[in-house]
């Protein structure tokens, strides 16, 4: 099936780098108009917008902190101002503040939960409110709207030294599935992507040199992922090619969640 998102409008949070930038590129290449959200640095977001426009696509950059209700409202208002509708939300923004549990500060716990979980709630809620104002346009999609949550393999794999991150992603799983259960009847599709180790700024240390060799032991498929691996899944989940996929988590992890330590008889 040839995927076309022509006529659709996509908002990607945290799209000035890594997986968000990859998703924005992929969605734009498939024909969607894209809102490139960034947190604090406009330059990379503006550069991506220029790149998309130069390739014949439509895009704008909008700054907003997804953990702040008023900024999320402003982000969605800017989307509507620019493109008049919303069809696809990729709730991608996320961060890590790592520490052993006994050393983890309340501030770092709150920051991670606020961005990774509350941010996804605020963006999903704003998208659902917008979808409710629209009607299905069967010429562009069979669904009224699509939400894709960026989770992690750590929604199922416990992660010592990263309990705030793992808790936030475990939360994203039940957030996604509960929303999916609630809004499916409205023909709104809600799904998650759970990446494994993908080469981006969030894990530069773990994906280079000796650390990469150690990491590869955890990846049965034998390579670290690239942003494009995840972008391909985003485009598929946003399109009618996945129209019967709802409430699902797609693990894009080269098999990291397969308990690779048990490969040689445990
Ligand atoms: P990244 O650091 O390149 O991207 C994270 C993005 O989130 C950045 O653009 C950052 O500006 C943005 N962000 C941070 N705080 C924000 C805020 N308050 N408001 C708006 N945006 C904010 O790393 P990435 O790997 O591209 O991460 C993207 C998502 O993928 C995250 O949710 C991360 O947890 C998830 N993920 C990544 C991997 C991986 O291996 N790279 C694996 C599993 C899950």
């Amino acid at each position: 099936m040839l995927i076309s998102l022509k006529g659709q409008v996509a908002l990607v949070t945290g799209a000035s780098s890594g997986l968000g930038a990859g998703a924005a590129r992929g969605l734009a290449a498939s024909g969607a108009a894209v809102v490139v959200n960034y947190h604090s640095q406009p330059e990379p977001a503006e550069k991506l917008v220029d790149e998309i426009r130069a390739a014949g696509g439509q895009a704008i950059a909008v700054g907003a902190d997804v953990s702040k209700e008023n900024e999320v409202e402003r982000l969605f208002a800017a989307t509507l101002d620019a493109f008049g509708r919303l069809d696809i939300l990729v709730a991608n923004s996320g961060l890590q503040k790592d520490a052993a549990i006994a050393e983890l500060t309340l501030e770092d716990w709150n920051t991670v939960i606020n961005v990774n979980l509350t941010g996804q709630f605020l963006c999903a809620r704003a998208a659902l409110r917008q979808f409710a104002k629209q009607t299905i346009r069967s010429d562009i999609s069979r669904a009224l709207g699509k939400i894709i949550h960026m989770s992690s393999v750590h929604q199922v794999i416990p992660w010592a030294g990263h309990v705030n991150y793992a808790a936030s992603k475990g939360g994203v799983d039940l957030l996604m599935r509960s929303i999916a259960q609630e809004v499916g009847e409205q023909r709104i599709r809600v799904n998650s992507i759970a990446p494994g180790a993908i080469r981006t700024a969030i894990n530069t240390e773990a994906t280079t040199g000796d650390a990469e060799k150690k990491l590869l032991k955890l990846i049965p498929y034998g390579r670290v992922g690239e942003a494009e691996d995840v972008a391909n899944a985003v485009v598929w989940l946003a399109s009618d090619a996945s129209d019967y996929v709802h409430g699902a988590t797609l693990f894009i992890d080269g098999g990291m969640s397969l308990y690779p330590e048990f490969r040689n008889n445990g």
Side-chain angles (χ1 to χ4, degrees), residues 99-219:
I101 180 67
E103 313 304 326
L104 182 60
T105 62
L106 178 60
E107 191 184 354
D108 284 354
W109 168 269
N110 283 336
T111 301
V112 170
I113 298 294
N114 288 344
V115 175
N116 295 13
L117 182 57
T118 307
Q120 296 224 6
F121 152 66
L122 290 172
C123 291
R125 187 184 67 176
L128 292 166
R129 286 176 175 170
Q130 179 54 34
F131 295 157
K133 294 181 191 153
Q134 300 175 184
T135 50
I136 292 184
R137 284 220 8 225
S138 51
D139 56 321
I140 58 171
S141 179
R142 294 177 73 180
L144 179 59
K146 281 102 27 166
I147 297 177
I148 300 163
H149 292 277
M150 197 60 75
S151 185
S152 163
V153 288
H154 295 296
Q155 75 170 39
V156 292
I157 302 177
W159 204 12
H162 308 256
V163 300
N164 46 359
Y165 185 81
S168 74
K169 297 301 187 179
V172 166
D173 178 37
L174 270 173
L175 172 74
M176 179 281 286
R177 289 194 285 147
S178 301
I179 297 174
Q181 193 187 57
E182 189 170 331
V183 304
E185 261 178 305
Q186 299 160 38
R187 298 294 286 272
I188 296 166
R189 289 197 302 112
V190 188
N191 293 287
S192 285
I193 290 175
I198 317 288
R199 217 180 289 280
T200 69
I202 214 170
N203 59 16
T204 313
E205 262 175 52
T207 55
T208 42
D210 283 349
E212 180 176 0
K213 281 188 202 131
K214 203 169 141 215
L215 179 64
L216 286 175
K217 293 197 179 121
L218 299 178
I219 309 174

Side-chain angles (χ1 to χ4, degrees), residues 1-9 27 30 32 85 87-88 135-148 186-191 232-246:
M1 184 183 192
L2 195 64
I3 289 179
S4 170
L5 301 174
K6 240 185 166 35
Q8 299 194 52
V9 177
L27 292 164
S30 303
R85 60 182 290 113
D87 302 282
I88 300 156
T135 50
I136 292 184
R137 284 220 8 225
S138 51
D139 56 321
I140 58 171
S141 179
R142 294 177 73 180
L144 179 59
K146 281 102 27 166
I147 297 177
I148 300 163
Q186 299 160 38
R187 298 294 286 272
I188 296 166
R189 289 197 302 112
V190 188
N191 293 287
N232 290 338
V234 169
V235 169
W236 182 73
L237 276 180
S239 78
D240 281 1
S242 63
D243 189 58
Y244 208 50
V245 180
H246 180 56

